[in-house]
Amino acid sequence: GNSVTQMEGPVTLSEEAFLTINCTYTATGYPSLFWYVQYPGEGLQLLLKATKADDKGSNKGFEATYRKETTSFHLEKGSVQVSDSAVYFCALSDRKDDKIIFGKGTRLHILP
Amino acid sequence: EAQVTQNPRYLITVTGKKLTVTCSQNMNHEYMSWYRQDPGLGLRQIYYSMNVEVTDKGDVPEGYKVSRKEKRNFPLILESPSPNQTSLYFCASSPLLRTGGVYNEQFFGPGTRLTVL
């Protein structure tokens, strides 16, 4: 079946550091890929998405590129801020399967 | 304001006492889903619904029931809660694309923290 694997946290960085959170997936069909962010005490909200190979999703300085050859969708940001501290989830939806699969989440701490 | 609402936000109950967590969305979305979030396990799908009267099991459906009698509502029912159902629960909704099931983003409710003693 489909699955999503993302790097375990917590990840602790200093403000203005470069961020990468790895996400790889397995899927039998042609999935869409998503990154969601969960701020403390809140529900998840979409950060960015990509619906086909080589698409790049971007939002709020974050980027991720859908790499079919490596089955990856790594999240990157060039200069993180304290306000980026949150839990980040990689997710997959596949038109051959109505279920939506989430990774386990990566907690990010940004130090001032 | 477009939103997904859940009630209650916090609930402490005892083993075996039936409870219902309500979920409602005002965006006319076809797809609705329930998740539970547990430390170290991330978000796991309990049940989902593609439209009114159409529901299906997710990855962890045991001990839960759902119904979809109206498009906007998707309640989660725990008929006999047990301590291992202590968790943070999220409801989400999403429109379905007409081109064949490649889903748009999901919109999440604020969560319901359930404790079963």
Side-chain angles (χ1 to χ4, degrees), chain B residues 39-110:
Chain B
L41 297 176
L43 219 61
R44 294 179 293 169
Q45 195 170 34
I46 302 171
Y47 269 95
Y48 62 95
S49 170
M50 300 288 281
N51 215 323
V52 176
E53 301 293 0
V54 180
T55 63
D56 212 339
K57 297 177 181 179
D59 290 324
V60 288
E62 294 78 20
Y64 304 94
K65 287 176 61 176
V66 293
S67 68
R68 188 89 181 274
K69 293 184 170 56
E70 305 167 282
K71 197 172 186 179
R72 64 183 293 126
N73 296 325
F74 191 47
L76 179 70
I77 303 157
L78 285 72
E79 298 225 321
S80 183
S82 63
N84 65 10
Q85 292 178 298
T86 293
S87 187
L88 179 58
Y89 292 86
F90 288 101
C91 180
S93 72
S94 174
L96 292 181
L97 297 183
R98 299 294 174 248
T99 51
V102 178
Y103 303 116
N104 279 318
E105 67 175 284
Q106 291 189 87
F107 293 81
F108 281 81

Side-chain angles (χ1 to χ4, degrees), chain A residues 12 21 23 29 32 42 44 47 57 66 76 78 90-91 93 111-112:
Chain A
T12 302
I21 300 178
C23 172
S32 293
E42 299 183 11
L44 281 71
L47 181 60
Y66 187 160
E76 297 182 335
C90 186
S93 70
L111 303 175

Side-chain angles (χ1 to χ4, degrees), chain A residues 17-70:
Chain A
F18 184 85
L19 169 71
T20 300
I21 300 178
N22 291 337
C23 172
T24 57
Y25 68 90
T26 58
T28 54
Y30 303 94
S32 293
L33 300 173
F34 306 85
W35 277 102
Y36 285 85
V37 59
Q38 183 182 29
Y39 298 106
E42 299 183 11
L44 281 71
Q45 55 185 277
L46 181 71
L47 181 60
L48 52 84
K49 69 179 181 182
T51 58
K52 62 183 187 297
D54 299 325
D55 269 2
K56 177 186 280 189
S58 62
N59 186 24
K60 298 182 181 179
F62 291 89
E63 292 183 339
T65 301
Y66 187 160
R67 302 277 188 207
K68 190 175 180 182
E69 63 275 14
T70 54

